[in-house]
Amino acid sequence: MFTTKSAWNEVNITMQDVISSGEERMKKTVANLKDSFASLRTGRASAALFDRIRIDAYGEKSPLNQVANISVPEARLIVIQPWDKNLITEIEKAIRSSELSLNPSNDGKVIRISIPPLTEERRKELVKLAKAQTEESRVAVRNIRRDGNEALKKLLKDSKITEDDEVKGADELQKLTDSYIAQVNKVLEDKEKEIMEV
């Protein structure tokens, strides 16, 4: 599957390749938004909050879930049990310095993190952040459409497709764009509900 504009220029491709590639890239954009929303804190405890946290372990940065077991025994409590007890300080340091605004405590074996309920002000900040990430995703989807349209124009210029094919391809890209922007908006709507839920 072609994923970059330059790949379209180098390979002998068809209109369908351009559309398939565009759709693949749009799918990835929606998936990336969902991933980034998973680590956006709501009032509930979730192991996904720590997906972006990296720990200095054995001379390299490792994802937290690769050096510890993360569990959610209660709705507002997260327990992190490092496989190597020597990493407790590093894990605590990484969590404190993250943008999660959490205060971990440990008993020498496990780290406990109580998830405080979000203030109204913090909820509004999180919604604002979610909206900004969503707008970036919308722009990315539109840029994919633009790249696809440019690739179709190049195919037309190189006499590899007809004008009718170019119009048909552009229409298909527009339908995909509308569909994926609607999906992006739905992801935001769901996240906003989750954040504002008290």
Side-chain angles (χ1 to χ4, degrees), residues 50-93:
F50 303 101
D51 284 354
R52 293 176 176 220
I53 292 189
R54 301 277 181 264
I55 308 301
D56 282 321
Y58 317 112
E60 62 181 71
K61 291 264 187 197
S62 303
L64 178 56
N65 62 7
Q66 289 182 10
V67 296
N69 186 31
I70 305 170
S71 60
V72 184
E74 297 169 28
R76 293 197 182 273
L77 180 70
I78 296 173
V79 175
I80 301 173
Q81 186 165 15
W83 296 317
D84 178 351
K85 308 271 183 278
N86 299 326
L87 293 176
I88 279 192
T89 325
E90 279 301 323
I91 293 171
E92 267 193 307
K93 197 164 75 178

Side-chain angles (χ1 to χ4, degrees), residues 121-140:
E121 188 181 322
R122 182 68 179 139
R123 286 176 199 279
K124 286 177 180 167
E125 282 173 26
L126 289 171
V127 167
K128 211 163 149 184
L129 185 62
K131 285 181 176 175
Q133 290 175 349
T134 302
E135 186 52 34
E136 286 172 19
S137 295
R138 286 189 201 110
V139 168

Side-chain angles (χ1 to χ4, degrees), residues 72-118:
V72 184
E74 297 169 28
R76 293 197 182 273
L77 180 70
I78 296 173
V79 175
I80 301 173
Q81 186 165 15
W83 296 317
D84 178 351
K85 308 271 183 278
N86 299 326
L87 293 176
I88 279 192
T89 325
E90 279 301 323
I91 293 171
E92 267 193 307
K93 197 164 75 178
I95 293 168
R96 279 204 174 94
S97 65
S98 74
E99 72 272 1
L100 294 172
S101 307
L102 295 172
N103 192 17
S105 64
N106 81 70
D107 62 8
K109 292 182 182 141
V110 297
I111 296 171
R112 285 184 180 75
I113 302 165
S114 176
I115 305 290
L118 295 171

